[in-house]
Amino acid sequence: MNFPDATTSSNRKLLGSLLNRQSQWPLGLPIPDADELSLVFQVAMRAPDHSNLKPWRFITVRNPATHELGEVFAAAALKRNAQDQGKASRSQATAAPMLIAVGVRISVSDKVPEIEQMLSVGAAAMNILNALHILGYGAYWASGQNSYDPDVRRALGLTGDNERLLGFIYVGTPSKISRLKARPSAAEFVTDWLGPVPDSVASRG
């Protein structure tokens, strides 16, 4: 298998593009077309997947179905709180012209614990965010109460006891150019391990 040369100018340009990725808001039309969306999900499938369990589940929700999802959100909110009128919940579902529900189907495995399968889904979701960014779209990943509500999960078709909803990726085209957020230097979070850390150092955190 031939891999691209990371030193080429085109690949450096691609890496430079990823350095500019960040959550975008607000989002409007257009959204990815069928070919672009197919490519985005193909990129998602490149996520690490121990034992080839394929834990990823993605459900696309596009306008006008976002309004139906808003009613699902509102009903769930009312069930959680009898005083909730559902206005905010409906707005959450229609905040972008397209949402991708991020789900996981956990397989029983002696080799692959649940956390690894959930991390695989997280990696696939990050691939989706990166692919959308490279294609020129904006996106952000949100969770919140709706992501962990069993009624919302079932309404989206994640009905198995081994299935969970991990959040929603909001997709569209940025309505305005957002100022690039400052990020900490990676050097603050990277260490070069040279051997076991003495207990006296480890205890200091």
Side-chain angles (χ1 to χ4, degrees):
M1 181 180 294
N2 294 322
F3 292 96
D5 182 357
T7 63
T8 64
S9 59
S10 60
N11 284 303
R12 286 184 175 275
K13 183 177 180 180
L14 181 60
L15 286 173
S17 174
L18 292 179
L19 289 173
N20 293 326
R21 197 216 70 81
Q22 64 182 15
S23 297
Q24 296 287 347
W25 181 259
L27 298 169
L29 293 170
I31 60 175
D33 61 29
D35 289 340
E36 290 173 321
L37 201 55
S38 175
L39 182 59
V40 165
F41 286 121
Q42 288 179 54
V43 173
M45 299 298 101
R46 303 310 300 175
D49 179 21
H50 190 182
S51 290
N52 198 31
L53 295 179
K54 305 179 182 67
W56 327 289
R57 296 296 182 270
F58 300 110
I59 301 106
T60 58
V61 184
R62 285 169 266 202
N63 192 26
T66 54
H67 294 278
E68 294 292 330
L69 183 61
E71 295 306 316
V72 171
F73 282 2
L78 181 62
K79 192 172 180 179
R80 294 192 300 264
N81 177 6
Q83 304 303 315
D84 195 314
Q85 300 299 309
K87 182 178 179 180
S89 297
R90 293 183 180 91
S91 297
Q92 288 172 4
T94 58
M98 177 179 178
L99 286 77
I100 301 173
V102 179
V104 57
R105 180 174 294 171
I106 303 296
S107 297
V108 177
S109 171
D110 294 332
K111 294 175 59 179
V112 188
E114 180 178 311
I115 184 61
E116 286 193 23
Q117 299 178 50
M118 295 180 71
L119 287 170
S120 178
V121 175
M126 192 67 241
N127 280 0
I128 287 174
L129 292 170
N130 284 336
L132 288 167
H133 173 73
I134 290 170
L135 289 173
Y137 296 100
Y140 74 93
W141 186 359
S143 54
Q145 288 183 305
N146 288 318
S147 300
Y148 311 118
D149 191 292
D151 291 340
V152 175
R153 173 174 57 80
R154 286 191 291 267
L156 286 165
L158 298 169
T159 57
D161 292 337
N162 62 333
E163 293 179 314
R164 300 181 187 178
L165 179 61
L166 302 183
F168 297 87
I169 296 176
Y170 288 73
V171 182
T173 297
S175 302
K176 63 180 181 180
I177 298 176
S178 300
R179 185 175 64 180
L180 195 63
K181 297 178 181 178
R183 293 290 186 183
S185 169
E188 298 178 33
F189 306 94
V190 180
T191 56
D192 189 13
W193 190 79
L194 301 175
V197 178
D199 291 340
S200 59
V201 176
S203 65
R204 294 201 298 266

